[in-house]
Amino acid sequence: LGNKSSDKIEPYPLETDDVFVQAAIHLRQQKRMSLGDALVAGTAIVHDLTLVTHNTQDFEWIVGLELLDPLIS
């Protein structure tokens, strides 16, 4: 990346009405989990994505969330 202003990465504005934020809030209300884990899981659920992580034990309780451990063949 150069120094041009057009090369800057703009942050995504999080709105409390975003559906993935609402999913993350719902997950945190069900079980104690970090905000980061809740946002990642909520985003994966909303977009029907597989969550790829070696830390599957923190997410196994979430119904409807598909997990993939990249270190297990």
Side-chain angles (χ1 to χ4, degrees), residues 15-31 33 35 38-39 42:
E15 301 292 335
T16 55
D17 60 344
D18 281 344
V19 70
F20 74 90
V21 173
Q22 293 302 317
I25 291 168
H26 180 71
L27 290 171
R28 291 191 77 191
Q29 289 172 340
Q30 293 180 55
K31 185 174 179 176
M33 66 187 311
L35 177 60
L39 287 170

Side-chain angles (χ1 to χ4, degrees), residues 56-72:
T56 58
Q57 67 274 9
D58 285 352
F59 299 96
E60 290 174 334
W61 64 273
I62 302 173
V63 177
L65 179 61
E66 186 175 343
L67 298 172
L68 174 65
D69 185 340
L71 302 181
I72 297 177

